[in-house]
Amino acid sequence: MPYADPFSTLELMHMPFDEQTCILGDNFVLADNFSGLDSPTDLTADRGMVPYLTAPNPIKVQFYIVMFCLGGEMRIRLNLAEHNLRRGDIAVIQPGDIGQWLGVTADSRIAIMAFTTDFVFPEADMEGAVVVRKFLSWNAVVHASDADMDEFLTIYQSMRRVIRRPGHCYKREAITGYLQVLHSYACQLMAPCVDRLEAQPRTRKKEVFDRFMQLVKENYAHERRIGFYADRLCISAKYLSQTVHRVSGRHAGDWIRDYVILEAKALLRSHRYSVQQVSDMLHFANQSFFGAYFKKAVGCSPKTYLNEA
């Protein structure tokens, strides 16, 4: 039985917001934990983190999230990789990414811009757009100087004022303009990183590993066979296994399993699907096989994991 859109677990308008959140239509949101303070770096006051940032379980998002860290520290896990966000760090989460908020310090100051794929702004600078896409294919976090963060914060606060201004008939147009400016700043920040990465010599093995990881991210929900990925890469399964292990220190099957288990956990913790439904969504032959696969990786059965959520 097919299940449409299985990860509607965290849709933009389903997130808990407070009175300080700014929302434009149903596809653009600004939220932070310092609105109302004289300064976002005034750490003597604490309004608390916006609620959804402390979700302890993995979630798969259906929209874009841009996080600006202006103080303190925040730990997140994004597609199996952990990131520590500190002052000046900007994280970009894309639709389809699986993330988990691991913790924040009491002095954290975070601003968030979130928007759906429906909220599309024009990429007038196609060269810059390519730079951003290349960077995000390698990394999810970019660091900005204090001066750049001040610029970002100024634009962020300007967008808040536009959204909250009563009687403003062209809010979307104004926000689109601000987004274009932010996009140009992002290009400026990311371009040197892209230049450095492209200047590094790339071995054949590293290229195979990178292509393998991209294929896993696109296909893990329905393909767990190493042979499938080897065929797509036009190499033997043995060569793929040896190459992945040599580059990453881990077996190819371990990478595939981690993605499968991460998605299984997110589905189970959503409390929207039964173990049988999750098994079907991940294309296991039956629930028993899924249960054995899950228990071997996690140490408990899917049912136990679900009940402990």
Side-chain angles (χ1 to χ4, degrees), residues 211 215 225-237 240:
R211 290 171 61 196
L215 285 172
R225 297 177 297 113
I226 295 175
F228 166 84
Y229 297 97
D231 289 345
R232 293 288 298 272
L233 293 169
C234 300
I235 58 179
S236 70
L240 175 60

Side-chain angles (χ1 to χ4, degrees), residues 41-225:
T41 57
D42 177 11
L43 304 182
T44 59
D46 188 3
R47 192 169 60 83
M49 291 303 298
V50 282
Y52 58 89
L53 285 182
T54 55
N57 304 316
I59 53 176
K60 191 168 186 178
V61 298
Q62 301 288 13
F63 49 92
Y64 290 94
I65 301 176
V66 182
M67 296 182 180
F68 302 90
C69 182
L70 294 106
E73 183 175 349
M74 178 178 183
R75 290 193 306 119
I76 63 173
R77 180 180 293 120
L78 186 60
N79 296 327
L80 303 179
E82 289 195 14
H83 302 277
N84 287 345
L85 303 185
R86 299 181 177 89
R87 180 181 176 87
D89 286 338
I90 304 171
V92 180
I93 300 175
Q94 303 179 78
D97 285 346
I98 298 179
Q100 184 175 4
W101 324 122
L102 302 178
V104 295
T105 58
D107 59 349
S108 292
R109 289 294 176 263
I110 305 290
I112 291 177
M113 180 174 65
F115 52 95
T116 68
T117 54
D118 297 331
F119 198 98
V120 179
F121 58 96
E123 293 177 337
D125 178 9
M126 293 307 297
E127 182 178 348
V130 171
V131 167
V132 171
R133 288 173 183 151
K134 282 184 177 180
F135 179 89
L136 293 179
S137 71
W138 292 320
N139 203 344
V141 178
V142 63
H143 185 75
S145 66
D146 286 348
D148 286 329
M149 287 301 286
D150 286 343
E151 294 283 355
F152 285 126
L153 183 59
T154 297
I155 296 172
Y156 173 85
Q157 292 173 329
S158 296
M159 289 193 291
R160 284 184 60 92
R161 286 192 292 270
V162 166
I163 294 175
R164 288 188 172 275
R165 185 176 302 162
H168 196 307
C169 299
Y170 299 97
K171 293 182 179 182
R172 186 181 181 95
E173 290 79 3
I175 296 301
T176 298
Y178 283 125
L179 285 174
Q180 193 64 62
V181 175
L182 286 175
H183 187 266
S184 69
Y185 280 128
C187 295
Q188 184 67 30
L189 282 177
M190 295 175 180
C193 301
V194 172
D195 290 342
R196 286 194 299 270
L197 287 168
E198 290 188 331
Q200 294 176 358
R202 291 179 59 79
T203 66
R204 163 68 174 163
K205 288 182 172 57
K206 184 62 166 61
E207 289 179 357
V208 168
F209 175 73
D210 289 345
R211 290 171 61 196
F212 165 72
M213 291 302 294
Q214 184 60 39
L215 285 172
V216 170
K217 185 176 178 180
E218 295 169 356
N219 297 281
Y220 66 87
H222 56 83
E223 279 293 349
R224 294 179 293 278
R225 297 177 297 113

Side-chain angles (χ1 to χ4, degrees), residues 6-44:
F7 267 111
S8 54
T9 318
L10 187 61
E11 294 175 356
L12 188 58
M13 289 299 108
H14 290 170
M15 296 192 299
F17 299 122
D18 64 15
E19 68 280 358
Q20 296 291 337
T21 302
C22 290
I23 302 175
L24 179 62
D26 59 357
N27 53 16
F28 186 84
V29 171
L30 299 175
D32 58 67
N33 66 338
F34 54 76
S35 295
L37 302 180
D38 292 336
S39 166
T41 57
D42 177 11
L43 304 182
T44 59

